[in-house]
């Protein structure tokens, strides 16, 4: 009776064919269960056999509920990473995402600025030469004054800058090797003039003139000159030189020569001008600057030596300033082959 109760009790015995696979189970039918004849075996034999572990149901793509749609936030259109465009000679490197006429137009303000500075120097030189001063009619004329020499240097330098900009625009995209070679020569000449002459001489004129002027203007710029030179022309010769040269260094990268060659060139210019001043005094008997009339021979030698050392220090200052502005210690500027390839 116990055996029959176990076989017929629905809670202890269930036929395999009556098992309905749940939703998501595999579609293959399970293996057939034991027949009623085999189920009539003694309960001890059925309980002795180990039961096989049940396999987890495999989810079915047709029966599984569809995943809930997730709301994704709107994304901005993917942009191309910015690329460093090789800059033309005399122009600052610019970062732009897409090349185009707008990026090319960024070169025009620097060119216009150089043209304006060049025209201002030409105006200053013309107005200065038009002044009827007794010193202009003596031996050496205006060329014995370092201020006039500096104005000529600045005008020549910015003239070469404008010529370089025009050549760069005209030869842009050209494969003519001869034009590229001439352009490289112009750029090398421009950088050399800035490093050796334009920056050290210009800053020297501004600093030394105003230092002596504040101490005693009669030693360098007597009040008598106010009758000949207007105030705006005086500032054009002794003040605007410094901001103009700083603007040029800020807007363009310049390749300095080797330090030994640069210092040698600066010393050559300084010694040459000192010898020229001494020669003018030897011919006319009058010193170019009234300051030299009030000091003795030893003080003159010390003054000339200090002036030469100061000009060399200004050359080093220009080199350091150029490297600081353009960060040449960490940034590799593109080569000419990369620019014009």
């Amino acid at each position: 009776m116990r055996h029959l109760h176990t076989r017929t009790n629905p809670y202890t015995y269930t036929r395999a064919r009556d098992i309905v696979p749940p939703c998501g189970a595999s579609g293959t039918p399970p293996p057939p269960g034991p027949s009623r004849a085999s189920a009539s075996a003694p309960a001890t034999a059925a309980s002795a056999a180990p039961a096989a572990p049940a396999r987890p149901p495999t989810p079915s793509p047709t029966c599984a509920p569809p995943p809930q749609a997730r709301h994704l936030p709107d994304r901005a259109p993917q942009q191309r990473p910015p690329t460093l465009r090789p800059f033309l000679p005399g122009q600052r490197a610019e970062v732009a995402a897409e090349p185009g006429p707008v990026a090319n137009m960024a070169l025009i303000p620097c060119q216009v600025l150089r043209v304006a500075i060049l025209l201002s120097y030409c105006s200053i030189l013309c107005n200065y030469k038009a002044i009827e001063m007794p010193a202009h009619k003596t031996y050496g004329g205006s060329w014995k004054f370092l201020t006039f020499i500096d104005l000529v240097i600045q005008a020549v330098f910015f003239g070469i800058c404008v010529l370089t900009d025009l050549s760069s625009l005209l030869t842009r995209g050209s494969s003519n090797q001869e034009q590229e070679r001439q352009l490289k020569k112009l750029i090398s000449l421009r950088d050399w003039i800035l490093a050796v002459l334009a920056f050290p001489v210009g800053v020297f004129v501004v600093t030394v003139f105003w230092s002596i002027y504040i101490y005693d203007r009669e030693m360098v710029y007597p009040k008598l000159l106010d009758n000949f030179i207007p105030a705006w022309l005086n500032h054009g010769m002794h003040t605007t030189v410094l901001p103009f040269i700083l603007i040029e260094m800020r807007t363009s990268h310049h390749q300095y020569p080797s330090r030994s060659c640069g210092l040698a060139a600066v010393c050559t210019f300084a010694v040459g001008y000192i010898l020229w001043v001494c020669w003018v005094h030897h011919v006319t008997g009058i010193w170019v600057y009234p300051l030299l009339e009030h000091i003795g021979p030893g003080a003159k030698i010390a003054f000339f030596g200090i002036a030469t050392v100061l000009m060399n220090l200004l050359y080093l200052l220009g080199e350091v300033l150029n490297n600081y502005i353009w960060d040449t210690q960490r940034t590799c500027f593109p080569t000419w082959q990369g620019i014009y390839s």
Side-chain angles (χ1 to χ4, degrees), residues 297-312:
K300 290 184 179 67
I301 296 175
F303 177 78
F304 291 146
I306 293 174
T308 304
V309 173
L310 178 59
M311 197 168 293
N312 283 270

Side-chain angles (χ1 to χ4, degrees), residues 3 36 79 111 119 121 174 180 192 194 204 240 250 303 333:
H3 175 71
R36 292 185 177 269
Q79 299 179 355
Q111 299 171 356
L119 293 178
Y121 277 123
S174 176
E180 296 178 7
W192 188 87
L194 173 80
F204 179 86
T240 59
R250 182 63 182 85
F303 177 78
F333 291 93

Side-chain angles (χ1 to χ4, degrees), residues 12-53:
T12 57
Y13 175 78
T14 304
R15 291 179 299 176
R17 63 184 179 181
D18 296 333
I19 299 176
V20 180
C23 182
S26 176
T28 57
S35 60
R36 292 185 177 269
S38 59
S40 59
T44 56
S47 59

Side-chain angles (χ1 to χ4, degrees), residues 82-320:
T83 56
L84 181 63
R85 182 183 300 114
F87 57 92
L88 291 177
Q91 303 298 337
R92 184 180 178 182
E94 298 178 356
V95 177
E98 289 290 340
V102 177
N104 296 335
M105 290 293 290
L107 303 177
I108 294 179
C110 295
Q111 299 171 356
V112 174
L113 185 61
R114 294 188 184 97
V115 172
I117 294 175
L118 175 61
L119 293 178
S120 67
Y121 277 123
C122 293
S123 175
I124 292 172
L125 285 172
C126 292
N127 283 274
Y128 180 76
K129 292 295 295 182
I131 296 175
E132 295 292 336
M133 292 178 56
H136 292 174
K137 300 178 181 179
T138 59
Y139 181 80
S142 302
W143 292 97
K144 59 179 174 285
F145 299 108
L146 185 60
T147 298
F148 180 80
I149 296 176
D150 176 56
L151 289 176
V152 174
I153 291 174
Q154 302 297 330
V156 171
F157 168 70
F158 280 98
I160 295 177
C161 289
V162 172
L163 183 61
T164 303
D165 293 338
L166 293 177
S167 301
S168 301
L169 293 177
L170 293 177
T171 60
R172 187 175 185 179
S174 176
S175 59
N176 192 335
Q177 299 295 331
E178 181 64 23
Q179 293 180 353
E180 296 178 7
R181 189 172 63 86
Q182 297 297 331
L183 181 59
K184 293 176 184 178
K185 289 183 178 180
L186 276 177
I187 295 170
S188 300
L189 178 62
R190 180 205 64 184
D191 295 344
W192 188 87
I193 292 178
L194 173 80
V196 175
L197 297 176
F199 184 84
V201 177
V203 178
F204 179 86
V205 168
V206 174
T207 54
V208 173
F209 173 82
W210 287 111
S211 298
I212 301 176
Y213 185 93
I214 294 173
Y215 177 75
D216 186 2
R217 64 169 296 178
E218 295 295 330
M219 293 184 177
V220 64
Y221 193 81
K223 292 184 178 180
L224 179 64
L225 296 178
D226 292 340
N227 300 325
F228 301 94
I229 302 176
W232 69 268
L233 186 58
N234 181 27
H235 286 287
M237 294 186 300
H238 300 108
T239 305
T240 59
V241 176
L242 181 59
F244 285 167
I245 200 67
L246 292 178
I247 290 173
E248 171 60 27
M249 293 190 70
R250 182 63 182 85
T251 56
S252 301
H253 173 260
H254 299 275
Q255 185 67 35
Y256 265 61
S258 62
R259 184 165 297 180
S260 58
C261 295
L263 292 176
V266 172
C267 289
T268 301
F269 174 83
V271 173
Y273 179 72
I274 291 172
L275 295 177
W276 167 242
V277 170
C278 294
W279 177 255
V280 172
H281 174 264
H282 174 73
V283 174
T284 61
I286 300 174
W287 289 102
V288 175
Y289 302 102
L291 172 65
L292 300 176
E293 298 282 356
H294 299 83
I295 58 178
K300 290 184 179 67
I301 296 175
F303 177 78
F304 291 146
I306 293 174
T308 304
V309 173
L310 178 59
M311 197 168 293
N312 283 270
L313 292 177
L314 291 175
Y315 170 84
L316 298 177
L317 176 63
E319 183 180 6
V320 172

